[in-house]
Amino acid sequence: TDLQTSSTMADHVEQNERAFQQQPTIFVGKRLSGKKLKRSDVRFTRNVGLGFKTPKAAIEGNYVDKKCPFAGDVSIRGRILSGVVVSTKMTRTIIVRREYLHYISKYNRYEKRHTNTPAHVSPAFRVKEGDSVVIGQCRPLSKTVRFNVLKVIPKKGQDA
């Protein structure tokens, strides 16, 4: 039965890393006590505020991501930007292209410019290239990543 209880402890979380994955604010052993558990005893989620809803996948999911703004330890503050996803080749990181116009006073005209911004994407979202995303600024998550995906708007003419 010891083997069975250890497997049930790991069943509630996706274990695909070498280290045991668990949310730091949740006590895993409480499940084994046999008492009725509340939602807050099973999974930690938060409302990031600013009018962004917590996705159902973050509330009901079983992933562990410490850099997720909904189920991890990252707060959103500062700028809120939007752009189009250009690349999804990295693990849990996407590249967002933001296009803007730059004024040239000599010619009294504008030129098109763009910036690529890397952003962390939570496993709660399914993001494909071409989707529009809203990203929010947070603390530095890595050498280049300072933004987190808050909302995904699927590309038109595409299945959900």
Side-chain angles (χ1 to χ4, degrees):
T1 58
D2 291 337
L3 182 64
Q4 186 180 7
T5 55
S6 64
S7 68
T8 56
M9 282 176 27
D11 283 343
H12 80 286
V13 172
E14 291 177 7
Q15 298 294 336
N16 51 11
E17 303 289 333
R18 294 177 95 177
F20 181 72
Q21 299 293 302
Q22 66 180 11
Q23 290 184 311
T25 55
I26 302 297
F27 175 55
V28 180
K30 203 167 197 178
R31 297 173 159 267
L32 304 176
S33 65
K35 295 178 184 172
K36 181 123 171 97
L37 298 176
K38 298 179 294 210
R39 178 180 281 176
S40 61
D41 293 336
V42 178
R43 183 155 177 81
F44 169 78
T45 56
R46 76 154 55 104
N47 180 8
V48 297
L50 305 168
F52 293 101
K53 289 192 173 183
T54 305
K56 267 200 166 104
I59 297 169
E60 299 167 0
N62 60 355
Y63 67 88
V64 174
D65 184 11
K66 64 182 182 179
K67 297 177 182 179
C68 173
F70 305 105
D73 188 31
V74 174
S75 60
I76 301 298
R77 79 286 192 282
R79 298 192 178 267
I80 306 292
L81 309 172
S82 62
V84 178
V85 177
V86 176
S87 172
T88 57
K89 293 176 184 173
M90 292 178 277
T91 307
R92 293 187 181 180
T93 306
I94 59 172
I95 301 294
V96 179
R97 181 182 172 112
R98 301 187 56 242
E99 296 186 354
Y100 61 95
L101 297 174
H102 178 252
Y103 182 68
I104 309 293
S105 57
K106 178 180 177 182
Y107 298 109
N108 198 21
R109 283 169 170 69
Y110 293 91
E111 67 181 4
K112 281 186 180 179
R113 290 189 176 181
H114 79 274
T115 57
N116 286 338
T117 307
H120 181 269
V121 58
S122 166
F125 295 116
R126 296 284 168 248
V127 181
K128 298 185 189 108
E129 291 182 15
D131 291 350
S132 295
V133 292
V134 177
I135 56 177
Q137 189 178 4
C138 58
R139 64 174 169 80
L141 301 176
S142 70
K143 180 182 173 184
T144 57
V145 178
R146 275 104 177 96
F147 287 88
N148 230 311
V149 173
L150 299 175
K151 186 176 168 186
V152 177
I153 302 143
K155 188 177 175 182
K156 295 274 190 268
Q158 187 175 324
D159 294 64

